[in-house]
Amino acid sequence: MREPARLGRTRLPDGRYLGWAEWGPADGTPVLLCPGAATSRWLAFGGDAVDTFGVRLVSVDRPGLGASDPAPGRTLSSWATDLRHLIQDRVLHAPSVVGFSQGAPFALALAADGLVKAVAVVSGSDELAHPRFAHSLTPQVRAMVDAVAADPDAATASFADFGSADALWDLVITTSPEADRAVYTDPVFRQAFRRAMDEAFSQGPAGYARDTVLAMARWPFDLAGITVPIDLWYGQHDTSPVHSPDLGASLVGMLPTATRHLLPDAAGSLLWTHTEAVLRTLLDHAR
């Protein structure tokens, strides 16, 4: 875990600002990061590897989280519009993207809009509202998905009532296997993780709540229409009920250009435990 090399905000055409943080060489191969739920631009990955691989890693706060202004009624499609401007403004030529956990649909939205050269979905949330998961979700997750489908506004309010840095930290720790808890509770990592969560909720819980509704609704793009290379990374020991229920087994069939990597020695924290494999594979597509 390292401090960002560069930190800033980019003004969008409608006057809003998007907050971002960068690691690695300014002239490196650009890789966008869509962080997981309830975190912000402060939680990156790679450490020294971003320099070793020559990666310019750019983590972006979604609207309403961290340093990014709210965008009432935002969608996965409007996220792609925002990132199109950021890519142009920051001169990120032909970037790739990593979507971790709940960041997965946001990363795939960029691919569906033709904005990125390759995608790495790491311990990613799947399209939980898709009929293929009608009978495989846990009761709690099924209730959340059904609530979003029935009344998105009421579901947003419910998620906001629950959402806080402390509540989400407790949820992560109590639902994670020992392999993940060992990563997340490491003193250095824990400090970075908690700072990222605290900043994510600096404007309140509305940004987190909107993210959750968008992730748990049907996604407004055709997975089969994505043509760039996609790598799906899952750990065999990942027990999160809001990642992919089948660890990407059916998702790879929905994505014609996808390759699934199921790591027998990994869990949900593989973005940090298997960083080099993820980056090396992504860069093989991007260069």
Side-chain angles (χ1 to χ4, degrees):
M1 308 307 297
R2 296 186 350 190
E3 292 292 308
R6 295 165 295 278
L7 199 65
R9 301 172 82 213
T10 291
R11 192 173 190 272
L12 299 174
D14 64 2
R16 290 181 296 115
Y17 283 86
L18 280 184
W20 49 264
E22 292 190 8
W23 291 259
D27 61 350
T29 302
V31 175
L32 295 164
L33 172 61
C34 296
T39 57
S40 64
R41 58 184 177 165
W42 284 99
L43 190 63
F45 70 98
D48 293 338
V50 294
D51 291 321
T52 301
F53 286 103
V55 167
R56 178 185 177 188
L57 181 66
V58 185
S59 182
V60 187
D61 284 340
R62 293 187 283 275
L65 285 85
S68 290
D69 292 334
R74 64 184 169 93
T75 65
L76 290 173
S77 298
S78 69
W79 165 249
T81 300
D82 286 351
L83 267 289
R84 181 179 295 278
H85 183 80
L86 179 74
I87 288 167
Q88 294 171 348
D89 184 79
R90 299 295 300 156
V91 195
L92 303 173
H93 178 66
S96 298
V97 63
V98 175
F100 174 68
S101 187
Q102 198 180 82
F106 295 91
L108 290 170
L110 303 185
D113 209 51
L115 296 180
V116 294
K117 195 171 183 179
V119 182
V121 169
V122 184
S123 304
S125 294
D126 210 324
E127 189 177 7
L128 301 177
H130 194 279
R132 61 195 159 97
F133 294 130
H135 305 293
S136 56
L137 302 181
T138 66
Q140 182 181 17
V141 174
R142 167 52 58 194
M144 295 167 71
V145 169
D146 289 346
V148 169
D151 190 336
D153 291 339
T156 301
S158 176
F159 296 146
D161 286 342
F162 170 77
S164 72
D166 288 340
L168 270 296
W169 170 258
D170 290 344
L171 182 65
V172 167
I173 296 304
T174 57
T175 61
S176 294
E178 180 56 36
D180 286 338
R181 285 197 297 273
V183 174
Y184 299 149
T185 60
D186 171 85
V188 174
F189 191 94
R190 183 184 189 280
Q191 181 179 11
F193 201 161
R194 288 307 308 258
R195 179 173 69 172
M197 297 182 87
D198 288 341
E199 180 169 288
F201 286 96
S202 62
Q203 302 182 59
Y208 157 76
R210 184 61 180 171
D211 269 5
T212 305
V213 165
L214 295 180
M216 291 196 166
R218 290 301 305 268
W219 297 348
F221 47 82
D222 179 17
L223 291 172
I226 298 176
T227 59
V228 299
I230 300 170
D231 289 282
L232 306 175
W233 295 88
Y234 288 95
Q236 186 71 59
H237 304 290
D238 186 353
T239 59
S240 171
V242 292
H243 290 168
S244 175
D246 58 8
L247 300 179
S250 60
L251 182 58
V252 71
M254 307 287 289
L255 294 159
T257 58
T259 301
R260 179 180 179 237
H261 308 266
L262 183 60
L263 306 186
D265 62 339
S269 58
L270 70 88
L271 182 61
W272 297 279
T273 61
H274 293 70
T275 295
E276 291 193 5
V278 173
L279 276 181
R280 187 179 294 111
T281 304
L282 186 65
L283 293 175
D284 283 345
H285 300 308
R287 289 175 173 165

